[in-house]
Amino acid sequence: MNWIQHLIILPILLPIITAAGLIPVDERNRTLKGVIAFGSTLVVFIISVLLMRAAANAPVGTPGTGVYLLGNWPAPFGIVLVLDRLSALMLVLTAVLMIATQMFSMAKWHRAGHHFHSLLQLMLAGVNGAFLTGDLFNLFVFFEMMLAASYGLLLHGSGMVRVKAGLHYIAINLAASSLFLIGVSLIYGATGTLNMADLGLRITTVGPESRMLMEAGAAILGIAFLVKAGMWPLGFWLPATYSAATPPVAAIFAILTKVGVYILLRLSMLLFGGDAGISAGFGQSVLLYGGLLTIGFGAIGVLASQAMGRLAGYCVLVSSGTLLAAIGLGNGTVIGGALFYLVSSTLTTCAFFLLIELVERARDAGADVLAVTMEAYGDIDENEEEKEIGVAVPGTMAVLGLCFCTCAILFSGLPPLSGFLAKFAMLNGLFNPGGLGAEAPISGAEWTYVSLLILSGLAAMIAMNRVGIRTFWTSIEGTIPRVYLIEITPVLLLLTACVLLSLQAGPAMRYMDATAKALSQPQNYIGRVMSAPRAGETGAN
Amino acid sequence: MELVLSAGIGVLTASGVWLLFRPRTYQVIIGLSLLSYAVNLFIFGMGRLRVNAPPIVEKGGAGGLLTHTDPIPQALVLTAIVIGFAMTALFLVVLLASRGLTGTDHVDGRE
């Protein structure tokens, strides 16, 4: 077996070992713990990049590439880890977010409670596991691991607001986990397998008496992920939870909604793709219309938000809705663009959550409410504006302001950054579903999607402008925040990643398109998993 | 036996969901527990109901669904019980923290 094959297990194993190793270390050695955890995340990042290269260069259809048989049992019987382009992409994205968050937290936030770095590492392991697993029940275990760590992280720092938000968040997720289990067991009862690749095979041969059970199971399972992804009307918990969490935690939570989206994308393409027979396209319209409603709800929320934390929470909803609707359309080109959008919007959201805390150090809490109220009833003291001409903007505020502007451009999808390129790629897919020049009708739902995509960008721009003007231009006399280098570096790092994504849009887009193409041909995935040779067997390379 | 099991799952689920929507944290946690019992029984039922059939094949003996019961749902139930139990314990801690911080057992932290 190739050595790169064995790397697949490390993004799960390494964080678990680090997390366990950090628990007995005394809390007073926080910096040491942070540095060890940071090192572990860096190694995971390097491994993820190696895996991504391997996945991108893997020859199509070779049995066993990227399939890791845990316990060396052949595929439908033992549990498997599967690496393909999509999971490799998500691994790299998670590692980047984790690096930024950890660096940010080491300035002060990791002091707010116990075992912060262990929890982060466990969450990294859970998220990576959810991306890599090829088995539904194993997915449940990794999902719970990720959620358990997220409960701890949400409560990090304690306080009334966080405990209240945590109570709601845990109750909702426990109920969703029950639905997850019901869905998984219904699918098992109807098809007799939990292996995703095997399910993709058996879906065509399920008899009519079991088909309804199987589809009911898939629908219930889907609801569990839609709760996580925050689809309207299942996502009301999201803005409150995200704005209550400590900034680094909110920033890393940006990946959690994407786990839900990832699994919906994976399962709908694998189980209900074009080859699925009668069940083909099952649930797609729910995803499409649910996604559209989520974008609408998120955009209204963005406009109505008074605090920046809630604004960012609604931006997460808009991003989820956009992705869900793209999955619901099931058009390969749109999904390619949507994957680009996923990467860009996740990086932006993470950066914005980190930035909010730095910016808000300069202002008092009541200012936001006052700002929006003043807008509604008109400015009271218009004469005072004359005095402010000629006041120099302090250096810290200038850097923060530039970062804020970049976030605003990325959120609203203005050129030249990756937010625009992502939306452009999706619109291109919507208008030319059969490739450039091919005539194809555009349905009403697609027109709605197009207009919502553009309108949600406009809503984000208006809201960000309002907040930006109030924060950076009208409150010069406020205190200038003290910002450490270690706090601004992660924000710059994430935004640089977005800029790099824009500069290297060609290769990145090719990767996304190849990923979308691979997703639309599930037989390759199924073939690779089902015929994976056991280690030590003849024929294994 | 089918009737007893399905009625049991139904009653547990119905009471669990009703309690889940109540305003007191204690009711919510009992609701979640009942719901998880119902789910565990449901997973068990999905492996088909069999009496006096072993789930594990003896060494050297032949196995099959005629003589044996399906072992996978039982393994799943075990995992689900462990995870559900841990989550309930965690929820209990948060519940107590909320009671201590807000001074009320209402789920919103105020009456």
Side-chain angles (χ1 to χ4, degrees):
Chain A
M1 257 230 238
N2 199 331
W3 62 274
I4 206 127
Q5 197 86 345
H6 285 285
L7 285 184
I8 297 176
I9 187 75
L10 280 180
I12 303 171
L13 217 51
L14 191 65
I16 296 184
I17 294 170
T18 316
L22 287 179
I23 288 174
V25 181
D26 194 276
E27 277 294 320
R28 273 167 295 183
N29 302 326
R30 273 196 194 86
T31 318
L32 175 72
K33 289 176 111 171
V35 169
I36 294 174
F38 190 70
S40 146
T41 313
L42 265 187
V43 175
V44 169
F45 172 69
I46 294 165
I47 293 171
S48 308
V49 172
L50 284 176
L51 288 176
M52 191 174 177
R53 282 174 57 111
N57 299 327
V60 181
T62 326
T65 32
V67 181
Y68 192 82
L69 303 175
L70 296 161
N72 210 14
W73 287 86
F77 306 111
I79 46 179
V80 288
L81 298 182
V82 188
L83 175 86
D84 66 349
R85 281 167 170 269
L86 181 60
S87 47
L89 174 72
M90 300 304 286
L91 285 185
V92 174
L93 183 62
T94 315
V96 171
L97 255 59
M98 200 51 101
I99 286 175
T101 313
Q102 261 179 342
M103 201 194 276
F104 185 90
S105 72
M106 269 151 71
K108 69 170 195 188
W109 279 107
H110 68 158
R111 272 177 286 181
H114 291 281
H115 300 302
F116 180 74
H117 291 291
S118 293
L119 284 170
L120 266 186
Q121 291 289 304
L122 280 177
M123 179 143 139
L124 178 62
V127 172
N128 283 347
F131 289 145
L132 282 172
T133 185
D135 179 278
L136 277 185
F137 199 77
N138 216 7
L139 177 67
F140 170 74
V141 174
F142 282 125
F143 216 68
E144 285 303 308
M145 191 166 150
M146 169 188 107
L147 287 176
S150 79
Y151 302 152
L153 285 172
L154 177 60
L155 295 169
H156 179 74
S158 196
M160 204 134 89
V161 182
R162 285 187 198 115
V163 168
K164 200 185 109 188
L167 197 73
H168 296 180
Y169 177 71
I170 297 175
I172 287 166
N173 277 298
L174 285 182
S177 297
S178 301
L179 288 177
F180 193 146
L181 281 173
I182 293 175
V184 165
S185 55
L186 266 175
I187 289 179
Y188 180 78
T191 62
T193 184
L194 287 172
N195 184 299
M196 293 185 200
D198 200 19
L199 265 179
L201 271 184
R202 293 198 190 187
I203 208 106
T204 43
T205 55
V206 174
E209 73 286 352
S210 304
R211 182 163 295 275
M212 228 167 86
L213 275 183
M214 200 276 306
E215 290 186 345
I220 294 173
L221 193 64
I223 289 176
F225 299 128
L226 286 174
V227 169
K228 199 69 246 173
M231 187 184 88
W232 190 89
L234 304 170
F236 294 118
W237 58 274
L238 197 144
T241 309
Y242 279 41
S243 55
T246 47
V249 172
I252 200 64
F253 274 18
I255 197 75
L256 291 189
T257 52
K258 303 302 183 288
V259 177
V261 171
Y262 163 85
I263 296 164
L264 284 165
L265 176 63
R266 164 77 76 211
L267 289 183
S268 59
M269 294 304 250
L270 194 58
L271 304 187
F272 304 114
D275 306 333
I278 321 167
S279 294
F282 175 74
Q284 275 198 332
S285 52
V286 175
L287 288 182
L288 175 59
Y289 293 110
L292 293 180
L293 284 169
T294 315
I295 304 178
F297 174 68
I300 294 171
V302 164
L303 281 178
S305 297
Q306 303 191 329
M308 278 204 248
R310 289 192 80 83
L311 194 155
Y314 283 109
C315 283
V316 172
L317 282 185
V318 170
S319 150
S320 272
T322 309
L323 292 166
L324 289 175
I327 300 172
L329 280 175
N331 169 340
T333 332
V334 179
I335 288 180
L339 288 173
F340 195 91
Y341 178 81
L342 187 155
V343 175
S344 162
S345 73
T346 313
L347 290 171
T348 316
T349 318
C350 183
F352 190 55
F353 270 118
L354 296 180
L355 190 64
I356 288 172
E357 201 259 338
L358 301 180
V359 171
E360 286 196 333
R361 281 180 199 172
R363 38 200 322 219
D364 50 318
D368 296 306
V369 185
L370 195 67
V372 176
T373 324
M374 268 166 68
E375 192 148 294
Y377 296 103
D379 270 335
I380 307 153
D381 40 10
E382 279 171 16
N383 303 332
E384 282 187 30
E385 276 172 26
E386 295 291 316
K387 279 186 278 178
E388 284 180 11
I389 293 172
V391 177
V393 178
T396 319
M397 285 314 262
V399 175
L400 291 180
L402 273 180
C403 290
F404 187 89
C405 284
T406 318
C407 280
I409 290 173
L410 282 163
F411 269 137
S412 48
L414 290 179
L417 292 181
S418 54
F420 167 73
L421 296 172
K423 284 196 178 172
F424 183 79
M426 284 157 81
L427 291 179
N428 179 39
L430 282 166
F431 285 133
N432 305 303
L436 208 61
E439 284 290 322
I442 301 173
S443 69
E446 284 173 319
W447 278 116
T448 320
Y449 187 35
V450 168
S451 36
L452 276 174
L453 259 185
I454 294 166
L455 283 178
S456 69
L458 180 69
M461 193 170 69
I462 294 172
M464 292 292 273
N465 261 327
R466 183 173 64 194
V467 173
I469 289 172
R470 294 285 175 198
T471 312
F472 293 100
W473 288 353
T474 59
S475 66
I476 292 293
E477 67 281 345
T479 51
I480 300 161
R482 275 180 64 91
V483 175
Y484 297 102
L485 194 63
I486 198 173
E487 290 176 313
I488 194 70
T489 313
V491 179
L492 291 172
L493 190 89
L494 289 166
L495 294 177
T496 314
C498 284
V499 173
L500 277 181
L501 198 63
S502 327
L503 291 177
Q504 292 294 315
M509 206 52 229
R510 273 197 291 282
Y511 184 90
M512 308 298 178
D513 279 337
T515 310
K517 195 158 168 274
L519 282 173
S520 60
Q521 295 163 336
Q523 63 274 16
N524 282 336
Y525 178 96
I526 295 171
R528 275 196 310 153
V529 176
M530 297 305 285
S531 55
R534 293 164 61 192
E537 223 172 44
T538 46
N541 43 357
Chain B
M1 187 168 63
E2 282 83 357
L3 190 67
V4 174
L5 188 78
S6 48
I9 295 174
V11 170
L12 280 174
T13 313
S15 343
V17 170
W18 189 74
L19 281 174
L20 196 59
F21 293 139
R22 303 298 299 159
R24 306 279 151 207
T25 47
Y26 183 73
Q27 292 168 318
V28 172
I29 196 171
I30 296 295
L32 283 170
S33 306
L34 291 184
L35 210 54
S36 78
Y37 299 150
V39 169
N40 289 340
L41 286 175
F42 183 80
I43 301 175
F44 203 72
M46 273 296 127
R48 309 296 186 268
L49 296 176
R50 288 288 298 276
V51 180
N52 288 335
I56 296 172
V57 182
E58 294 276 317
K59 195 167 187 179
L65 283 178
L66 285 176
T67 49
H68 290 73
T69 180
D70 192 345
I72 289 189
Q74 308 197 0
L76 302 188
V77 168
L78 268 181
T79 319
I81 289 174
V82 172
I83 292 179
F85 190 66
M87 292 303 159
T88 312
L90 186 113
F91 192 70
L92 196 60
V93 174
V94 180
L95 184 158
L96 288 174
S98 165
R99 173 76 178 77
L101 282 169
T102 61
T104 161
D105 63 346
H106 195 279
V107 284
D108 286 335
R110 56 167 191 272
E111 293 298 323

